[in-house]
Amino acid sequence: MSPGEVKLSVKPVFIGWITLLTQLPLQLFFTVWCGVFFAGMGAAIGIFSNTRDASYAIGAVAFFAIPVVAYIGKKLNYSRTEYRFYSDRLEFDEGFLTINKKVIKFRDVKETTLRKGILQRSYDLGSIYLATLATGSTRNSDPFMALGFGNVSASGVIVRDISDPDQAFETIRKLVDAKSD
């Protein structure tokens, strides 16, 4: 992209316990599923003689492995993510397994929304959603985002978990409004 002065640069803030809390429903589901499925499969092919003990052991491994994967995945994803706002566009890089680079022209942004969830508010964090004609205006609940593997661009342009979101929102709104006139 052409050079220009960065008007605002933000990085998401990683809060570990919030990551663990948001992935808890998936963790519980996969704990039960892994315990039942893999113990049953192991018994069917003759690996396990006592399926109940095998189910508990496999479930315990899943119960502890899933949060570790979620924590590391989201921490690595957030450490690589940076949003750079210029006078006419947003550029960002994100991801750790798959690197995603994207440029959004402000003239294409149709809506700017600030969202501050209850857990985000306790740390003065928020997320800003930039809707374009290509992304729509609804949020996509991707289960891989909870594990830290999802990409922002797959669910619209969401500037996630940034500090001082009110000031960032006003700055971004002004930049977008200047280019949409």
Side-chain angles (χ1 to χ4, degrees):
M1 232 19 243
S2 63
E5 178 186 347
V6 176
K7 302 292 185 184
L8 176 67
S9 178
V10 293
K11 291 183 72 69
V13 177
F14 177 76
I15 310 277
W17 77 268
I18 292 177
T19 297
L20 296 175
L21 185 64
T22 58
Q23 62 78 41
L24 186 61
L26 283 174
Q27 176 186 358
L28 295 175
F29 170 77
F30 282 115
T31 296
V32 173
W33 184 85
C34 287
V36 171
F37 180 78
F38 289 113
M41 291 298 292
I45 60 174
I47 295 175
F48 304 123
S49 59
N50 185 342
T51 57
R52 187 170 59 176
D53 290 345
S55 178
Y56 291 149
I58 293 170
V61 168
F63 183 81
F64 292 106
I66 291 169
V68 168
V69 169
Y71 187 92
I72 292 170
K74 194 165 189 177
K75 186 168 180 67
L76 289 172
N77 191 13
Y78 273 27
S79 70
R80 287 215 18 96
T81 302
E82 180 181 6
Y83 306 96
R84 292 172 307 281
F85 292 88
Y86 297 86
S87 60
D88 62 339
R89 70 191 181 280
L90 159 65
E91 294 181 5
F92 65 91
D93 306 325
E94 67 174 355
F96 73 97
L97 290 176
T98 301
I99 305 301
N100 184 32
K101 294 184 178 209
K102 192 161 190 171
V103 176
I104 302 295
K105 299 285 188 180
F106 290 147
R107 69 173 183 265
D108 298 329
V109 174
K110 302 302 177 195
E111 180 181 321
T112 307
T113 305
L114 171 63
R115 180 183 172 275
K116 296 191 288 187
I118 191 165
L119 296 176
Q120 288 177 318
R121 285 195 314 261
S122 64
Y123 287 93
D124 192 29
L125 301 176
S127 297
I128 299 172
Y129 181 75
L130 302 174
T132 66
L133 290 177
T135 60
S137 60
T138 59
R139 290 184 48 219
N140 181 5
S141 57
D142 182 1
F144 293 105
M145 286 303 286
L147 294 174
F149 295 110
N151 285 328
V152 170
S153 61
S155 59
V157 180
I158 303 174
V159 181
R160 294 190 184 281
D161 296 333
I162 59 172
S163 60
D164 197 10
D166 294 313
Q167 181 178 351
F169 176 74
E170 285 305 314
T171 302
I172 293 166
R173 188 185 58 77
K174 288 176 183 173
L175 290 169
V176 169
D177 288 349
K179 285 301 172 187
S180 64
D181 294 337

